[in-house]
Amino acid sequence: MATWANLGFQDSAAPLMEQLTFFHDHTLFILLMITVMVGYLLGTLYFNRFVNRFLLEGQTIEVVWTVIPAVTLIFIALPSLRLLYLLDEINQPSLTLKVVGHQWYWSYEYSDFGDVEFDSYMVPIGELGPAGFRLLEVDNNVVLPVRTQVRALVTAADVLHSWAVPALGVKIDATPGRLNQTSFFINRSGLFYGQCSEICGANHSFMPIVLESVTPGSFLNWLKKKT
């Protein structure tokens, strides 16, 4: 999870998040080159004392500063479009997780395994253990198997919410009366934290998300305890 010293993204736990990180670094490198080049040109213009009084037009330089930005945009647009289609792709899911946002908690349902459903509330600060994270711990974690294609169906019961887990590259709106769908693949075990990312009322900051990724065997044992 992110700490106060983090300047970049969280460590990715899903292939799509890895691609998002690569695209971020790629775009940031291009922006850095543009910033350095423009800064250098501005500096040379500022300190240059020579002026061509008879220069009225420069066809060559106008062609150059039109073509170079166009080529730069292509280098940004092509990876962006590829990533956009990858994010929208739904591969045959092995498991479906239903997520419902409420004011101010989350409800989860594993409809593939009978009537496994529960609510997830934030743990109050006074009840946190010594290893608990303030405003991030919940009483019921979302448990999912590692290396499994998961489909999440997200909606809301009252107002707009947003289910977001940064380490997985997932952020999807929970809209009342509408069922939104996303897919993700967790490639390592661990605890992944998220929060509601849509201002939904007075306790918007108090409905965190904790996703626990475990082995398939541990996941089945957990399901047996829930049924």
Side-chain angles (χ1 to χ4, degrees):
M1 60 171 289
T3 61
W4 63 272
N6 278 101
L7 297 178
F9 292 119
Q10 297 182 23
D11 293 337
S12 63
L16 287 179
M17 187 58 197
E18 292 177 5
Q19 295 298 317
L20 285 169
T21 305
F22 293 153
F23 176 69
H24 169 267
D25 296 341
H26 168 76
T27 307
L28 199 63
F29 181 70
I30 293 175
L31 292 177
L32 181 62
M33 290 194 301
I34 294 172
T35 303
V36 170
M37 184 182 70
V38 172
Y40 172 76
L41 292 175
L42 288 175
T44 55
L45 287 174
Y46 182 77
F47 292 106
N48 185 11
R49 297 182 179 179
F50 300 101
V51 177
N52 188 342
R53 294 182 299 162
F54 304 103
L55 181 63
L56 299 179
E57 64 177 20
Q59 294 291 339
T60 304
I61 190 63
E62 289 183 4
V63 169
V64 169
W65 70 39
T66 300
V67 171
I68 290 180
V71 173
T72 303
L73 288 175
I74 290 174
F75 276 99
I76 295 176
L78 291 180
S80 175
L81 289 172
R82 171 182 169 274
L83 184 56
L84 189 64
Y85 281 102
L86 281 176
L87 290 172
D88 284 339
E89 184 177 358
I90 303 293
N91 299 318
Q92 298 175 346
S94 302
L95 186 151
T96 298
L97 173 69
K98 293 183 180 178
V99 183
V100 182
H102 303 267
Q103 288 182 314
W104 288 271
Y105 63 96
W106 296 99
S107 295
Y108 300 98
E109 180 182 340
Y110 297 77
S111 54
D112 297 332
F113 302 95
D115 296 329
V116 179
E117 55 182 288
F118 55 87
D119 298 330
S120 180
Y121 290 88
M122 186 191 77
V123 177
I125 297 174
E127 300 177 11
L128 278 178
F133 293 103
R134 176 179 174 270
L135 302 183
L136 285 177
E137 299 292 348
V138 297
D139 56 358
N140 286 309
N141 295 348
V142 185
V143 180
L144 291 173
V146 71
R147 298 184 184 90
T148 302
Q149 193 69 36
V150 179
R151 175 177 58 184
L153 302 176
V154 184
T155 188
D158 34 47
V159 298
L160 284 173
H161 300 277
S162 185
W163 197 73
V165 184
L168 303 181
V170 173
K171 180 181 181 296
I172 182 168
D173 289 340
T175 309
R178 176 169 179 166
L179 205 60
N180 291 326
Q181 176 175 268
T182 189
S183 178
F184 54 89
F185 180 92
I186 308 172
N187 54 21
R188 63 185 174 91
S189 300
L191 282 176
F192 308 110
Y193 293 85
Q195 290 176 302
C196 177
S197 297
E198 184 74 37
I199 297 177
C200 56
N203 290 337
H204 159 68
S205 301
F206 307 114
M207 48 185 303
I209 301 157
V210 181
L211 193 150
E212 184 177 353
S213 175
V214 298
T215 61
S218 299
F219 174 70
L220 292 176
N221 291 333
W222 176 82
L223 281 176
K224 290 177 182 177
K225 295 178 183 179
K226 285 290 185 179
T227 53

